[in-house]
Amino acid sequence: MRLLVLCLGNICRSPMGEGALRARLDASPLAGAVEVDSAGTGGWHAGEPPDRQAIRCAAGHGVDISGLRARQLRPADFQAFDWILCADASNLRDAQARAPAHARDRVVLWLPWAGIEDASEVPDPYTGGTEEFEAAWALVDRAARATVQRLTHASALGIIDR
């Protein structure tokens, strides 16, 4: 199973989401069975590390994302990943517009896909401060936990091979 977390520039929400998801997967029975990456719909920050506030926020939760580098969503990603998990509706629209017809149903809003019913989007903390980054972390970590739960259930049903 391969998951791609997607936001706008791949320096805040998606690298935090990638880090949270990797940490939760590594601590689960699915360790080693699920690959995670992240990307942005835009390429402005390609090759750059995550935003320093994102790095600091994730580190405060025991997750090191400092080695990640931003990249833009590529056409090959629609073939390579089982699910493209979008941070917000704008990312979803942009990604679905680029997706081949056969892949559009695998490009989803991450929070609802993970089963989170009281929120549908992860707000972009880019222009904010510590509070906004912590709020984004809380949502991506919650989504990571819910994703692990969903995939653990799928694994028990034999849907995910190890």
Side-chain angles (χ1 to χ4, degrees):
M1 172 75 55
R2 297 190 76 213
L3 306 175
L4 181 69
V5 183
L6 186 73
C7 73
L8 183 61
N10 193 212
I11 60 167
C12 296
R13 295 171 291 174
S14 57
M16 288 194 306
E18 178 183 351
L21 194 47
R22 283 183 183 198
R24 297 298 173 196
L25 284 162
D26 286 349
S28 80
L30 297 174
V34 180
E35 292 180 45
V36 182
D37 195 3
S38 63
T41 56
W44 316 280
H45 300 289
E48 295 177 15
D51 182 276
R52 60 181 166 71
Q53 290 188 92
I55 293 171
R56 188 169 40 248
C57 179
H61 295 277
V63 177
D64 181 8
I65 61 170
S66 64
L68 300 179
R69 294 295 176 263
R71 71 174 186 85
Q72 187 172 15
L73 179 67
R74 301 182 287 249
D77 290 333
F78 296 104
Q79 184 67 29
F81 290 92
D82 298 295
W83 292 100
I84 297 178
L85 308 172
C86 301
D88 67 31
S90 176
N91 306 139
L92 177 68
R93 278 190 304 276
D94 289 347
Q96 285 183 331
R98 297 177 196 181
H102 73 276
R104 286 191 190 116
D105 61 340
R106 295 182 292 107
V107 179
V108 296
L109 277 175
W110 187 13
L111 300 182
W113 177 86
I116 295 173
E117 297 177 6
D118 61 336
S120 62
E121 298 185 351
V122 180
D124 193 346
Y126 182 66
T127 59
T130 301
E131 188 174 310
E132 287 80 9
F133 277 85
E134 286 295 331
W137 177 267
L139 284 170
V140 299
D141 190 48
R142 193 169 155 210
R145 290 174 190 259
T147 297
V148 169
Q149 213 170 18
R150 176 185 172 141
L151 296 180
T152 299
H153 178 71
S155 180
L157 297 175
I159 297 169
I160 298 176
D161 294 330
R162 291 186 183 256

